[in-house]
Amino acid sequence: MFRRGIRLGLPYGAVSGVLSLSFGVLAVQAGFTTLQAIVTSALVFGGSAQFAALTIVSAGGAIPAALTAATLMHSRFLAMGIAFAPSLPGGPLRRAVEGQAVVDASWALANKGDGTFDRMLLFGTTIPQYVAWLAGTIVGALAGDLLGDVERYGLDALFPTFFVGILLAELGRPRARVAAALGAVLALALVPFTAPGVPVLVAAAAALIGLGVAPDAPDAGAPEQEPA
Amino acid sequence: MRLSEGQVWVLIIALVTMATLMKAAGPAIVGGRELPRWATGVIAMMAPALLAALVATAVFSDEQRYTVGADTVGVAAGALLLVCRVPLVLSAAVAVGLTALLRAFF
């Protein structure tokens, strides 16, 4: 199962590699040192959270705004971890350590559909994604120093496009479409009036339309395409 | 405003702590119990709301101004391809390539 997981994870690894390459380049452009960009990917290992923080910092936002946006983006792992928990053996500490392996694609692929997860498959699927995520960041962070102005290469168009990809996978449910539209409108409306980063945070309030509504399936909304 | 190297380390430490706790919490503490319904509903809507806000601000604004640039066109093309079920990697390649091309000529 572990090997099957590694095989299943390979295409997601390829996507992770490209995405993290752009993270490495953009992080260095935003003022991270090469080492800082690499450490971030090695230890945070969460594409949407890393890009959320980076977007806000690049736009001139402050640390609390960047951290809050990243936390909100990462909050889905709380729900995914809770769903995964019964499939993990051992004590709390071991379960907490094994829980670190959860990323979107692995979680979705390891979900057996009956409320349980194949944990070895999940670990296997995560490995190529982690390796590619780290390798891509290293290449990007090193190249970012050499490339100069990355905007010339259009790399700033990469992660919004990936986000659109994940977003489209979410929009199957009508309520998610309302949340997305509301989030985008709220954020854009606030741009001229607030510090950078604040619009995205306030847009999270759009998620309140999910109040009192159970997801269709255990976390049916978990994005399946996010590479890291 | 650009963060200093020290400030970036502060941000990284905070991000790592947050990310680790977020993934550890469910498995370690909550075990097999379920979240209250209101919480799962809100968490499920968090991703679409935030993703849309991030895309919109990344593509249509720069600091406190509204902007439309080559990346706006590139991402729009990529999004259109995605809607037409073109694979993610190809759509993203088109978005990046088109953005670079527009910048090279205008």
Side-chain angles (χ1 to χ4, degrees):
Chain A
M1 262 310 162
F2 183 68
R3 288 194 176 186
R4 186 162 160 257
I6 291 181
R7 234 183 13 257
L8 282 174
L10 284 175
Y12 292 93
V15 175
S16 290
V18 181
L19 192 58
S20 65
L21 189 126
S22 84
F23 176 81
V25 173
L26 295 173
V28 169
Q29 300 274 307
F32 283 50
T33 64
T34 304
L35 179 67
Q36 286 175 329
I38 295 167
V39 168
T40 305
S41 280
L43 298 181
V44 178
F45 185 40
S48 51
Q50 287 177 225
F51 275 110
L54 188 62
T55 307
I56 288 172
V57 168
S58 318
I63 293 176
L67 179 65
T68 312
T71 306
L72 291 171
M73 282 310 289
H74 227 58
S75 63
R76 68 182 184 283
F77 286 114
L78 188 63
M80 292 163 87
I82 289 162
F84 185 41
S87 308
L88 290 171
L93 186 64
R94 182 174 161 196
R95 292 199 305 266
V97 171
E98 295 194 354
Q100 301 299 315
V102 173
V103 289
D104 299 297
S106 305
W107 188 89
L109 290 169
N111 191 344
K112 290 188 197 159
D114 59 358
T116 64
F117 290 78
D118 188 323
R119 76 185 240 290
M120 289 318 283
L121 185 79
L122 186 140
F123 297 152
T125 317
T126 296
I127 284 176
Q129 296 180 79
Y130 185 81
V131 172
W133 185 250
L134 192 55
T137 305
I138 293 172
V139 173
L142 290 173
D145 270 341
L146 306 172
L147 290 175
D149 181 16
V150 281
E151 296 215 334
R152 197 150 47 100
Y153 306 100
L155 279 179
D156 52 327
L158 186 57
F159 84 85
T161 309
F162 272 97
F163 279 2
V164 171
I166 306 167
L167 184 60
L168 287 175
E170 298 261 343
L171 295 185
R173 291 161 303 159
R175 195 169 287 264
R177 276 174 236 156
V178 179
L182 213 58
V185 169
L186 260 178
L188 281 179
L190 289 174
V191 160
F193 309 110
T194 63
V198 175
V200 173
L201 296 188
V202 176
L208 290 175
I209 68 153
L211 269 177
V213 183
D216 320 333
D219 249 87
E224 295 186 12
Q225 291 195 30
E226 208 218 350
Chain B
M1 189 190 77
R2 179 175 260 233
L3 299 184
S4 72
E5 190 177 339
Q7 287 176 311
V8 173
W9 280 122
V10 170
L11 175 62
I12 291 172
I13 291 165
L15 286 174
V16 171
T17 309
M18 178 280 290
T20 307
L21 291 179
M22 194 72 85
K23 284 187 182 176
I29 303 163
V30 187
R33 276 177 292 164
E34 299 224 332
L35 281 179
R37 277 171 64 99
W38 66 265
T40 47
V42 172
I43 288 173
M45 288 303 118
M46 199 69 96
L50 283 173
L51 285 167
L54 277 168
V55 171
T57 51
V59 168
F60 291 113
S61 74
D62 183 20
E63 304 221 348
Q64 300 197 353
R65 284 171 329 205
Y66 293 112
T67 54
V68 173
D71 61 319
T72 316
V73 181
V75 174
L80 193 66
L81 291 177
L82 284 169
V83 170
C84 299
R85 304 201 168 272
V86 173
L88 183 62
V89 179
L90 186 60
S91 306
V94 169
V96 170
L98 184 59
T99 305
L101 206 66
L102 287 171
R103 290 218 174 103
F105 287 104
F106 297 101

